[in-house]
């Protein structure tokens, strides 16, 4: 996910790690350093030709970070470059190709789109090896398979108000109670890490994109961050408001890219997808497709 509490948090008793709970469950990381590189790819297939002429369609894949992070709720992939995991990633790509997306949108800001597509062009010419990052491992492979010429960045970076929230919690002696939220996030990450060790990446993505997974990511903000202080104008209100504002900006970026005959695929952290799914499920202008209709657990 990508809304984090970055500042170092301290209670009166002992220092705490950075509270990176809001995004760590399942999103793309913007700076994935020390990423290794990979492998050759299968040939491309013909571009999509048959598209609905009624309304555009959107499907949203909520992900965890293939490149491991230090977030409390991070799901850890230990062996992303192993033959087994690489095979699983290619299987996910084959499944998503059945959705027939005409545009692939990823968790990068629009200003990064030119750099992204320079990388993609090099990848098509076998001059760019894919880092362990779902944007590349899934997004680039799928775009190549479908004969796409580009991908699209739709993220929006914002200061959510981390420092104000942390200062408020410390000032009012609320950090110890807030640690329960951190613990819940950590438990969620560990639970899914254990699941991933025994199951495929595809099966893990299915569990993340269930109602249970969406509810966790949404309610982390609404049931826990928002209620971390009872004061009328607490920074927690601003924090959660900014988180929703950020996702509204992302929705706007999606909408302005979407054309009448498009089948849009969004690849984004599950902290975002939980909210974006709410936005699009009841839309009157864009048809919504459940991503789990295209992911199989076989």
């Amino acid at each position: 996910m990508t809304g984090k509490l970055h500042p170092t948090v301290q209670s009166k008793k002992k220092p705490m790690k950075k509270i990176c709970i809001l995004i760590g469950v399942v999103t793309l990381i913007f700076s994935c350093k020390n990423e290794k590189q990979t492998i050759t790819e299968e040939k491309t297939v013909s571009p999509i030709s048959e598209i609905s002429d009624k309304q555009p369609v959107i499907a949203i894949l909520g992900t965890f970070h293939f490149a491991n992070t230090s977030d409390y709720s991070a799901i850890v992939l230990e062996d992303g470059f192993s033959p087994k995991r690489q095979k699983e990633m290619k299987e996910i790509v084959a499944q998503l190709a059945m959705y027939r997306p005409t545009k692939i949108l990823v968790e990068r800001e629009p200003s990064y789109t030119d750099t992204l597509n320079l990388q993609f062009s090099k990848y098509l010419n076998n001059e760019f090896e894919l880092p362990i990052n779902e944007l590349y491992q899934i997004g680039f492979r799928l775009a190549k398979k479908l004969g796409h010429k580009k991908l699209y960045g739709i993220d929006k970076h914002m200061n959510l108000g981390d420092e104000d929230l942390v200062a408020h919690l410390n000032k009012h002696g609320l950090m110890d109670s807030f640690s329960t939220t951190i613990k819940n996030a950590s438990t969620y990450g560990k639970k899914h890490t254990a699941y991933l060790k025994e199951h495929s990446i595809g099966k893990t993505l299915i569990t993340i994109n269930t109602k249970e997974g969406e509810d966790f990511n949404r309610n982390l903000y609404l049931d826990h961050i928002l209620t971390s202080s009872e004061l009328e104008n607490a920074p927690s209100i601003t924090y959660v408001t900014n988180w929703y504002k950020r996702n509204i900006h992302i929705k706007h970026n999606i909408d302005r890219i979407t054309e009448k005959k498009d089948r849009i695929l969004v690849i984004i952290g599950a902290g975002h997808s939980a909210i974006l799914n709410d936005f699009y499920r009841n839309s009157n202008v864009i048809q919504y497709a459940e991503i789990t209709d295209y992911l199989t657990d076989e």
Side-chain angles (χ1 to χ4, degrees), residues 16 83 107 120 122 139 153 181 197 207 223 251 258 282:
M16 299 178 67
E107 194 173 338
F120 183 59
K122 290 181 178 180
T181 298
K197 286 182 178 180
T207 66
D223 290 347
K251 181 185 186 300
T258 302
N282 297 309

Side-chain angles (χ1 to χ4, degrees), residues 62-168:
T63 65
F64 65 93
H65 300 299
F66 292 3
N68 300 323
T69 75
S70 60
D71 296 349
Y72 278 98
S73 53
I75 298 171
V76 178
L77 176 63
E78 295 179 340
D79 51 355
F81 283 107
S82 69
K84 174 179 180 292
R85 294 306 195 187
Q86 287 292 305
K87 180 175 182 289
E88 292 170 0
M89 293 176 193
K90 291 179 181 179
E91 289 170 349
I92 294 167
V93 168
Q95 292 170 11
L96 292 175
M98 300 300 292
Y99 168 63
R100 300 180 295 119
T102 58
K103 290 176 181 173
I104 299 171
L105 283 51
V106 297
E107 194 173 338
R108 288 288 189 271
E109 288 200 315
S111 61
Y112 192 80
T113 295
D114 288 345
T115 299
L116 185 74
N117 286 310
L118 178 60
Q119 293 173 335
F120 183 59
S121 178
K122 290 181 178 180
Y123 169 64
L124 293 179
N125 292 322
N126 297 317
E127 298 172 353
F128 180 78
E129 296 182 338
L130 299 181
I132 281 295
N133 181 304
E134 57 275 20
L135 182 163
Y136 298 108
Q137 294 288 328
I138 304 300
F140 272 32
R141 281 176 165 160
L142 180 60
K144 179 180 179 180
K145 185 177 183 68
L146 295 175
H148 291 193
K149 301 303 181 184
K150 62 185 299 186
L151 296 90
Y152 301 81
I154 45 88
D155 195 13
K156 172 68 175 180
H157 290 188
M158 285 182 60
N159 180 354
L160 303 184
D162 303 66
E163 293 183 1
D164 289 343
L165 177 55
V166 170
H168 176 82

